Each structure stands twice: as structure tokens, then as C-alpha cells.
Amino acid sequence: MRDNSNRSAGRPTLEEVAARAGVGRGTVSRVVNGSAQVSPKARKLVQDAIDELGYVPNRAARALVTQRTDSIALVVFESGERFFAEPFFGRIVQSVSSVLVARNLQMVLMIAQAPEERRQLEGYLTRQHVDGALLLSLHGDDPLPMILEERGVPTVRAGRPAHPGPSSLVDADNRGGARAAVTYLQEQGRRCIATITGPMDMAPGIARYQGYRDVVGDGPAAAGDFGEISGAMAMEWLLANYPQIDAVFAASDMMAAGALRVLRRAGRRVPEDVAVVGFDDSVIARHTDPPLTSVYQPIEQMGQEMVRLLLAKLDGDEPVEHETVLPTRLILRGSA
Amino acid sequence: MRDNSNRSAGRPTLEEVAARAGVGRGTVSRVVNGSAQVSPKARKLVQDAIDELGYVPNRAARALVTQRTDSIALVVFESGERFFAEPFFGRIVQSVSSVLVARNLQMVLMIAQAPEERRQLEGYLTRQHVDGALLLSLHGDDPLPMILEERGVPTVRAGRPAHPGPSSLVDADNRGGARAAVTYLQEQGRRCIATITGPMDMAPGIARYQGYRDVVGDGPAAAGDFGEISGAMAMEWLLANYPQIDAVFAASDMMAAGALRVLRRAGRRVPEDVAVVGFDDSVIARHTDPPLTSVYQPIEQMGQEMVRLLLAKLDGDEPVEHETVLPTRLILRGSA
DNA sequence: GGTTCATCCGAGAGCGCTCCCGCGGTAAGA
DNA sequence: TCTTACCGCGGGAGCGCTCTCGGATGAACC
């Protein structure tokens, strides 16, 4: 019951379009791929046939010959826990997604939490499957970017690694953001500005601390791990050792939230007695009491830029490596 | 400089594996696809060759002939705003992802916010590209599931639609969860339990209100839209009209957070004077003051179940439609 | 008018895989 | 021992596309 002549069962193929337009396969292919080597007349013929038939190229067939899949991976090296706790990821995902859709590329999202998944991932990415990868939240000196680049899978990562690697890179101006926050506190007349830092083995942690030091030098500082508990503990320590504190710059909103709690418990009013500034401008910033003044990172822009760099790499018309640093901005709310 | 004999430049192909193992292409294919029609000896031979060569089947070539892409779409009909504000999505994404990875399927994430993207999406899904779609957060009576099913793209959706559609469906027991929350408040000795409902044109909104009524009948109720502001406004109204209130069940954590704020401003202590229970067990629940007692939805399970249903549909060994309702659970924190 | 050259087009080859047909070999039944 | 059946296997065909090459067509030149 097959009928491979005129209108076959499934979707129309290139060949059918060609037949209908009265041209050869090659011509249709050229039209579809926007080649200039087609006469206006033929182009019109083909275009009409395409429209009538509702032709859409078969991705698999194309991929088979071009060796391109037209899909790119967005890899998040994070536990599920953190992945959905941090609004950062959602926003990156979302912005990357919209750029990719516009470019008619597929976004394949991969979350690699367990070490075993991590391993599987490497195999997955280095084989066929995707044309390139966007790497989010790489930990420490993960060798993955190196491996991928070696095997010919272009990568772009978010955030600066401890050691420079082969990936292109998009980062936010953490240092500048911290500087802006602390400067603002100073301008508000705060005299004793403390900081709760992030982990000092992570690039953003270091950069934000540096920004703080740029402004006030050796002020009261306590280390946290970006998490809320650590923020509370750091705040307690600061209060005990520097009771004269009238402002705190925390390197994450979570830590700022923890600090807020401790401050309230200690009977200090925010912002009257102690001003608090966070970092990330995350959802929690809007839901603490008072709402948190926080440093905003242009996450959407970061996503877009990552895609742009990756595509440039893919098209090969850009130098191999590139680095973009995007500006941060202080968002004022009630806490400072 | 081509060398198509022994070891070609790129990755090994089926043919090369076959040559190395000294068998035919068919046999290798059978081994790779786990057919039973292979002698142990041949299987071993092939397996060894695969291991030595590091062979991985070419997805595109396979897709071309099988008409299967081995990738499924996860579609979120939500503005970017809400997508990253609601932890719900992150968790679903994450759980779906892990199941899919285990099954060696690609997850293609699509976020359709703008109406124009919405339209594009329809074309995308109905063409080739994916074997099936998981639909999240469909609005109103979106005809998409119908369209997709008609065009042969199996779908599974999260949450009950206003009108029953052709998709299989996974939902949380919203009504039961609400019932549990309100029952708990009663057991704690609360006498005047109010509710802040979600929008009454959305299934979860309705179901949660029904659960409330199941326990206390016609209690003080004010409508919100799941958002924080609406929760605050509703709380103000309730306080004004039912000052004797000693407990509030809010149909979302956001609304509960808004209520909390109003309550504090009104000088009511939580939970001493007024107990508050939220719904969703979202991150904010852990960061309000006091932390929010809230109804937990088994989001991870929902994701897993959605995938399971979709795959069953794909394999065709399950009746066309199916509906799964998963239990909810009350998580006790400080607010009630 | 004949030659040359650029331009446009048709169609063969082949990407790597699965499907399926049919063959040889072995085991079971007559 | 011969037939029948079945199992395991090899390899041809073909999925829908792009690439490439050589042929046809027409314009431009001598």
C-alpha cells in the first residue's frame, strides 16, 4: 500500500518539493539553505512548492551529512538542591533558551549532580549529540572544559575558573559590584563597615572580597560559604568582636538573610542601627524583612553573551578564546 | 588523503566495528540494540570490538531510519519571571532530567513566554524534532495538547486542565493537602480558621479551596492570585472583617508570606495569636519569619511519573490516557 | 556568427544506521 | 538418512539530506 509517487504518507521530503516545483533536489536544497546560486524564478517556484506542501527539512537527515546537530548543551554542575534554590540558574537557562530558540537551535539541558552522572556526561558530550556546550557552575579545576575542547567540542563557561582554561568565558563584575555596594554604604555615612565573605577558594568569593577591600581596606571580615547558616554564624562572630559595626556587606543574599536574623535577635534595627547589603539580587532579597539592598548581576545578558560566544566559536570566525565581563548594579531596597 | 579502510579519522562507525569483530553490520546492530537473535560468541566478539574502538552509535543516522529522535521536550508555558521565581519548575526540570539521562534520552527544554514564541513552538513540536512532550503550567484551555496529540506527538501534562483533554496527566493531591493543613490547624485547637484562596479559575486554586471547605465548611475566605501582594491584601481584609481569626490557611507560600507581613504589622504574633500555613513548601517557606508550615508536593515524583507515562505512551504498551494523582504532605515549621 | 565564460541547475554519491530478505548450518522429527 | 524447521547471520536497500561536479544555457565578446 506504499505510495512513493506523489503524496506520500508522512511529511513531504526534499524530493517531493523538487518534483512539485519541477526542479532538481539540488535547487531545492539551495533555496532552503539560502544559497545565492539560484535564479529568482527557480527560487519562487521552489518557495511556492515549499509553502504548499508545508515542507520542513528533516533534521536527522541533515545532521547525518553535515555532522552538525543544531543543538547545544547547557550543562549545570550542581546538585538538584542548589539548582532550584538559586534563582541564578533559572534565569540563565531562560535567557539562553530564548536566544537559542530565536536562532532555531535546540537547547539540551543537562544537570550533572552525582559523580556518576558527571562521568556519563563527559562521554555524552564528547561523542556526537551536540555542537557545543555552555558550562555553568563548574567546580574547582574541573578538567571537563579542557577535555571537551581537545575533542573538538567548543565550550563557553560562566564565571572565572581558579586556573584559566581553554574555554571562552563570561563573568559578572563581582569586584566592581562589591565596590559599589561598599561605597554606597560609606556615602550613607556608615563608619564601620564589616563584610561576610564567600568561600575564599571560589572566584566570586575572592573577587567580592577584593571589591570590599578596594574601598575600606582591612575592615572587620568573617568568612562564610554563601549559605544562610554561615551568614548567621559570621554575623554573630562580627557582633561579638566588633560591636560598633554599623553596616555589613554580605557576599550573597543568603548570608545576608542569615545576618538579618541574627541582627534582629541581637536587637539591632536594620537599617537604622546596622545597614545590610547582599549580593545576587535573588528572590529572597525581596522577601526578607526588611527587603535586602543587593548587587544585581545581569544574568540575562550573561546568558545571551554565552550563546553569542559559543556560536562565534562554532562558526569559526572569532579568535579561539574570548572573555566578557559584564557590569553589576546595586539595587536599593529597605536594608541599606 | 581519505582513508576509508581501517581506521578513519572521525569516530568509528558500525561498519568498522563489524570489520574488527569479523561479523556483518547486521550483527553489530543487533548487539547494540540488545536483540536476542545473537549467539553469545558473536555478541562477545562485537562487544569487545565496541569497547576497543569506543564505538557509540550515531544518533542522527539512527534517527533518520527509525523516525525517532530519542529526545523529548519539556515545555514550560510561563514567563521567564515566573519560571525562575517558582522553585516548582526547577525541581520538575531537575527530576525529569535525571530520569531522562538514565534512559539515555535527551531533554530539550523550551520556555514559551511570548505569544509569538508560543506559535513557533507549535510548529516546532509538531514537526520532527522530538518524540513527545511534557507540558508544564499550561494556561486555561490551551489547545496545544489537542493539536499535538492529533499530529501524533504524545503529551503528558502536569496539573489538571479546566476541561479534560487528550493528554495523560500527573497532578498533586491539592485537595487532600489542603484538608490535611486545615485539619492540623483544628487539632492544634484553632477555632477560627480563615483561608486565602488562589484564583478560582485555576484548578489548584479550586482544589485547595475545596480541601479547606471539606474541613471547616463556610469559613472566612478571601481570594488572592497566588502572589505575595494579593496575600497581604487578603490578610488585611480578613483582619478587618474577622478580627477573631486565630489561623490562616493560604493556598500558596507567597500569599502566606504576604499575610505574615500584614499580621506582624497588625501586632499579631505568629504562631501564638494566629497560626499560618502555606502551600508549595517553596524556598521562601524556609526564609520567612517565622518559617512557614507548608504543604509539600512531591514534585520530584511528579516529574518522574510524567516521564514514565510519556514513555509508556511512546512505547504504545499502555492505554492512551492515564492519570496519576500524587499525595501531598504537611511540613511543620514555626508558623503553625 | 562563433567562441568563451559565467551562471544556474540536475543528479550521483554517500553520510551511518536499521530493516528485512534469504542463505547456510544445526537440531528435531519422520 | 532425509526432510522440515528454526536460528543466527550477512549484506542490500534505503531513510532524507548536502555536496560536488559536469552539463546546459545564455550573455558577452571578437
Side-chain angles (χ1 to χ4, degrees):
Chain A
M1 204 56 93
R2 290 287 199 83
D3 174 14
N4 60 1
S5 58
N6 201 346
R7 5 169 256 128
S8 75
R11 10 188 144 285
T13 70
L14 234 208
E15 197 115 22
E16 286 165 21
V17 174
R20 174 148 199 141
V23 301
R25 280 194 335 278
T27 304
V28 178
S29 178
R30 273 180 284 263
V31 170
V32 169
N33 294 294
S35 158
Q37 305 289 73
V38 185
S39 66
K41 194 176 57 177
R43 184 182 303 277
K44 170 98 172 65
L45 242 34
V46 170
Q47 198 55 61
D48 288 350
I50 288 178
D51 292 344
E52 285 169 37
L53 260 31
Y55 168 76
V56 181
N58 179 314
R59 203 177 198 116
R62 179 179 286 175
L64 184 57
V65 31
T66 58
Q67 306 283 23
R68 270 242 202 169
T69 61
D70 281 353
S71 56
I72 79 115
L74 201 174
V75 189
V76 184
F77 297 87
E78 220 35 274
S79 71
E81 182 76 25
R82 245 179 75 91
F83 176 71
F84 56 75
E86 294 261 351
F88 176 83
F89 296 113
R91 289 164 69 181
I92 281 279
V93 165
Q94 132 86 15
S95 70
V96 166
S97 160
S98 67
V99 181
L100 254 22
V101 166
R103 299 264 202 150
N104 215 357
L105 295 168
Q106 279 192 165
M107 178 180 77
V108 179
L109 182 71
M110 326 198 67
I111 305 172
Q113 54 273 69
E116 173 228 328
E117 285 181 330
R118 200 6 265 282
R119 197 145 13 84
Q120 187 172 350
L121 183 80
E122 181 179 317
Y124 184 88
L125 291 175
T126 54
R127 313 249 195 262
Q128 67 274 44
H129 298 154
V130 296
D131 296 338
L134 264 21
L135 274 18
L136 246 49
S137 187
L138 271 172
H139 285 296
D141 296 322
D142 199 313
L144 192 69
M146 191 86 75
I147 295 171
L148 291 183
E149 293 279 347
E150 272 171 9
R151 306 259 199 119
V153 183
T155 57
V156 173
R157 55 157 75 194
R160 188 178 311 278
H163 304 300
S167 307
S168 289
L169 174 165
V170 175
D171 201 2
D173 182 11
N174 285 298
R175 188 166 180 168
R179 218 182 287 134
V182 180
T183 303
Y184 172 78
L185 289 171
Q186 248 180 8
E187 288 169 359
Q188 295 300 107
R190 304 294 170 169
R191 287 292 144 248
C192 181
I193 305 174
T195 185
I196 301 177
T197 75
M200 293 312 278
D201 58 349
M202 285 181 68
I206 298 168
R208 291 171 194 177
Y209 181 51
Q210 283 175 332
Y212 166 82
R213 290 180 57 99
D214 288 347
V215 182
V216 302
D218 263 327
D225 64 3
F226 285 144
E228 178 169 8
I229 311 275
S230 77
M233 283 169 45
M235 192 68 243
E236 267 162 14
W237 184 87
L238 286 171
L239 243 26
N241 291 276
Y242 303 88
Q244 73 276 27
I245 281 170
D246 62 0
V248 178
F249 164 63
S252 81
D253 283 350
M254 299 291 268
M255 294 196 299
L260 242 32
R261 191 160 313 194
V262 170
L263 251 11
R264 171 159 41 231
R265 214 182 301 135
R268 310 280 185 119
R269 290 168 307 159
V270 176
E272 294 83 353
D273 302 331
V274 181
V276 177
V277 177
F279 208 111
D280 291 339
D281 188 35
S282 57
V283 250
I284 346 162
R286 281 185 279 278
H287 295 287
T288 54
D289 182 25
L292 212 50
T293 289
S294 186
V295 179
Y296 164 82
Q297 312 183 57
I299 299 183
E300 282 71 18
Q301 269 185 59
M302 289 174 72
Q304 287 167 18
E305 182 63 12
M306 288 179 75
V307 176
R308 205 188 62 72
L309 288 182
L310 187 62
L311 294 181
K313 256 188 170 178
L314 280 174
D315 296 339
D317 55 39
E318 185 119 337
V320 190
E321 286 164 45
H322 197 89
E323 195 174 314
T324 306
V325 176
L326 294 166
T328 47
R329 202 169 73 229
L330 188 65
I331 305 289
L332 300 181
R333 295 203 181 80
S335 72
Chain B
M1 203 59 88
R2 290 286 199 82
D3 173 13
N4 60 1
S5 59
N6 200 346
R7 9 173 252 127
S8 74
R11 11 189 145 284
T13 70
L14 233 209
E15 197 113 22
E16 285 165 22
V17 174
R20 174 149 198 138
V23 301
R25 277 192 342 275
T27 304
V28 178
S29 178
R30 275 181 283 262
V31 171
V32 170
N33 295 294
S35 158
Q37 304 290 74
V38 186
S39 66
K41 193 176 57 175
R43 183 180 304 277
K44 171 96 171 66
L45 243 33
V46 170
Q47 198 56 59
D48 289 350
I50 288 178
D51 293 344
E52 284 169 39
L53 261 29
Y55 169 76
V56 181
N58 179 314
R59 201 173 200 121
R62 179 180 285 174
L64 183 56
V65 30
T66 57
Q67 307 282 25
R68 272 239 201 171
T69 63
D70 282 353
S71 57
I72 80 116
L74 201 173
V75 189
V76 184
F77 297 87
E78 219 36 274
S79 71
E81 182 77 24
R82 245 179 76 90
F83 175 70
F84 56 75
E86 294 260 353
F88 177 83
F89 295 115
R91 290 164 69 181
I92 282 278
V93 165
Q94 133 85 18
S95 70
V96 166
S97 161
S98 67
V99 182
L100 254 23
V101 166
R103 300 265 202 150
N104 215 357
L105 295 167
Q106 280 193 166
M107 179 179 79
V108 178
L109 183 71
M110 327 197 66
I111 306 173
Q113 53 275 66
E116 172 228 328
E117 285 181 330
R118 199 9 263 281
R119 196 146 14 84
Q120 187 172 351
L121 184 80
E122 183 179 316
Y124 184 89
L125 291 175
T126 53
R127 313 247 196 262
Q128 68 274 49
H129 299 152
V130 296
D131 296 338
L134 263 20
L135 273 20
L136 246 48
S137 188
L138 271 173
H139 285 296
D141 295 322
D142 199 311
L144 192 69
M146 191 85 75
I147 294 171
L148 291 183
E149 293 278 347
E150 273 170 8
R151 305 263 198 115
V153 182
T155 57
V156 174
R157 56 157 74 194
R160 188 177 311 280
H163 303 301
S167 306
S168 290
L169 175 164
V170 175
D171 201 2
D173 182 11
N174 286 298
R175 188 167 182 167
R179 217 182 289 133
V182 181
T183 303
Y184 172 78
L185 289 171
Q186 248 182 8
E187 288 169 359
Q188 296 299 105
R190 306 292 170 169
R191 286 292 145 250
C192 181
I193 305 175
T195 185
I196 302 176
T197 74
M200 295 310 279
D201 59 350
M202 286 182 66
I206 298 169
R208 292 171 194 179
Y209 182 51
Q210 283 175 332
Y212 167 82
R213 290 179 56 98
D214 288 347
V215 182
V216 301
D218 263 327
D225 64 2
F226 283 145
E228 178 168 11
I229 310 275
S230 76
M233 284 169 45
M235 191 69 242
E236 269 163 12
W237 185 87
L238 286 171
L239 242 26
N241 291 277
Y242 302 88
Q244 73 277 25
I245 282 171
D246 63 359
V248 179
F249 164 64
S252 80
D253 283 349
M254 300 290 268
M255 296 196 298
L260 241 31
R261 191 160 313 194
V262 169
L263 250 11
R264 171 159 39 229
R265 214 181 302 135
R268 310 280 185 119
R269 289 168 307 160
V270 176
E272 293 82 353
D273 301 331
V274 181
V276 177
V277 177
F279 208 111
D280 290 339
D281 188 35
S282 57
V283 250
I284 347 163
R286 279 184 280 277
H287 295 287
T288 54
D289 181 26
L292 213 50
T293 289
S294 186
V295 179
Y296 165 82
Q297 311 183 58
I299 298 183
E300 282 72 19
Q301 268 185 60
M302 289 174 72
Q304 287 167 17
E305 181 64 11
M306 288 178 76
V307 176
R308 206 189 62 73
L309 288 181
L310 187 62
L311 294 182
K313 256 187 171 179
L314 280 174
D315 297 339
D317 56 39
E318 186 120 338
V320 189
E321 286 165 44
H322 197 88
E323 196 175 314
T324 306
V325 176
L326 293 166
T328 47
R329 202 170 73 229
L330 189 65
I331 306 289
L332 300 182
R333 294 202 183 80
S335 72

